[in-house]
Amino acid sequence: MRLLLLEDDKTLAEGIIKGLNRMGYMVELAMNLSQAESALKTDQFELAIFDLGLPDGNAVSLIKKLRKAGQPVPIVVLTAWDDVDTKVLALNEGANDYVVKPFELRELEARVRVQVRKANLQLNDVINCGDLSVDIASQQCRFQRKLINLTRLEWILLKQLALHVGKIVSKEQLETACYGWDSDNESNSLEVHIHHLRKKLNPSLITTIRGLGYLLKDESS
């Protein structure tokens, strides 16, 4: 899952990115409003995390601009200003949620997860697809009630497919979720991980749509 982090404090940003990477998120960093706006215009993200106070202004202005332009990406705001007016202003301009600094990473991850779930019309953190159960919160996968051990990249791929169950996810989307921008991964590495994932589950569960990408079959009905 690909996130955009707008944060000018490099030390804090590195800590957030490292922690979210361990939780299966691919995070791209923007350090000012201009970089964030450019990234959102040219690339797709499941969610954005905005610090409010930036060197080139307040992120509330960017939130307002994005919403006016019809940009639907969920936005979680980070703020050191624990006052009602600031939080209400950010929410009124289009932010989906906020976290007050200092915060624990698990709180931020939980709020990220909730917003991604809402954006994908998920009622809870467990996605059931026939005999397959994917628990986004605990990062566990069960097939026919048996716990399946997955590598980090296999988990990222499965989560991305599960969040879009029944829909085609492009090879480019999956590669970006696993490796980020401008990755130098081998050309067939995605196919290798998909192959291993199929072997651990039902080989027919993940379908290759030639020229388009991959699809996790919706077997819940």
Side-chain angles (χ1 to χ4, degrees):
M1 186 182 303
R2 193 177 182 209
L3 312 179
L4 176 66
L5 172 64
L6 172 55
E7 173 59 68
D8 67 311
D9 184 327
K10 191 173 182 179
T11 300
L12 177 58
E14 288 175 350
I16 292 172
I17 292 171
K18 185 177 180 180
L20 290 178
N21 282 168
R22 287 199 303 266
M23 296 174 181
Y25 298 92
M26 180 60 63
V27 185
E28 306 294 347
L29 176 64
M31 300 193 74
N32 56 51
L33 298 176
S34 178
Q35 290 178 1
E37 184 176 4
S38 177
L40 287 164
K41 282 182 178 178
T42 57
D43 291 279
Q44 289 189 331
F45 298 91
E46 269 91 357
L47 181 137
I49 302 170
F50 284 3
D51 184 20
L52 285 186
L54 283 304
D56 53 344
N58 190 305
V60 171
S61 63
L62 177 57
I63 295 171
K64 183 177 181 179
K65 187 175 181 179
L66 292 170
R67 295 310 190 222
K68 189 175 181 180
Q71 169 60 263
V73 64
I75 297 172
V76 174
V77 164
L78 304 180
T79 177
W81 305 321
D82 189 15
D83 66 273
V84 174
D85 289 343
T86 299
K87 291 182 284 192
V88 169
L89 176 62
L91 293 171
N92 283 344
E93 295 297 354
N96 298 82
D97 200 356
Y98 63 87
V99 177
V100 177
K101 298 178 181 179
F103 56 86
E104 288 193 30
L105 191 62
R106 60 179 181 171
E107 178 188 1
L108 176 60
E109 192 276 334
R111 292 179 183 272
V112 165
R113 187 170 8 100
V114 168
Q115 293 306 320
V116 171
R117 194 174 72 200
K118 287 181 179 179
N120 288 281
L121 305 179
Q122 299 287 148
L123 296 178
N124 54 57
D125 288 321
V126 180
I127 302 170
N128 292 306
C129 179
D131 291 332
L132 176 68
S133 176
V134 180
D135 190 327
I136 305 298
S138 66
Q139 300 186 49
Q140 289 186 338
C141 163
R142 294 181 182 274
F143 185 69
Q144 296 179 339
R145 299 186 179 181
K146 180 182 178 182
L147 185 64
I148 306 297
N149 292 319
L150 301 177
T151 66
R152 177 178 173 274
L153 288 180
E154 288 168 358
W155 167 253
I156 292 174
L157 287 172
L158 180 60
K159 179 169 73 171
Q160 196 74 6
L161 291 167
L163 284 169
H164 302 88
V165 62
K167 300 177 182 178
I168 299 172
V169 183
S170 71
K171 180 179 178 182
E172 291 74 21
Q173 284 178 279
L174 293 174
E175 286 179 336
T176 301
C178 290
Y179 308 111
W181 286 328
D182 302 323
S183 60
D184 294 324
N185 57 294
E186 296 179 7
S187 60
N188 69 333
S189 61
L190 181 66
E191 288 80 0
V192 170
H193 293 301
I194 290 286
H195 172 72
H196 292 316
L197 192 54
R198 282 172 168 151
K199 287 181 66 177
K200 293 181 178 181
L201 306 173
N202 183 334
S204 66
L205 197 56
I206 300 173
T207 302
T208 301
I209 309 299
R210 190 173 299 277
L212 295 176
Y214 298 90
L215 179 147
L216 178 65
K217 291 183 179 179
D218 186 355
E219 299 185 342
S220 57
S221 58

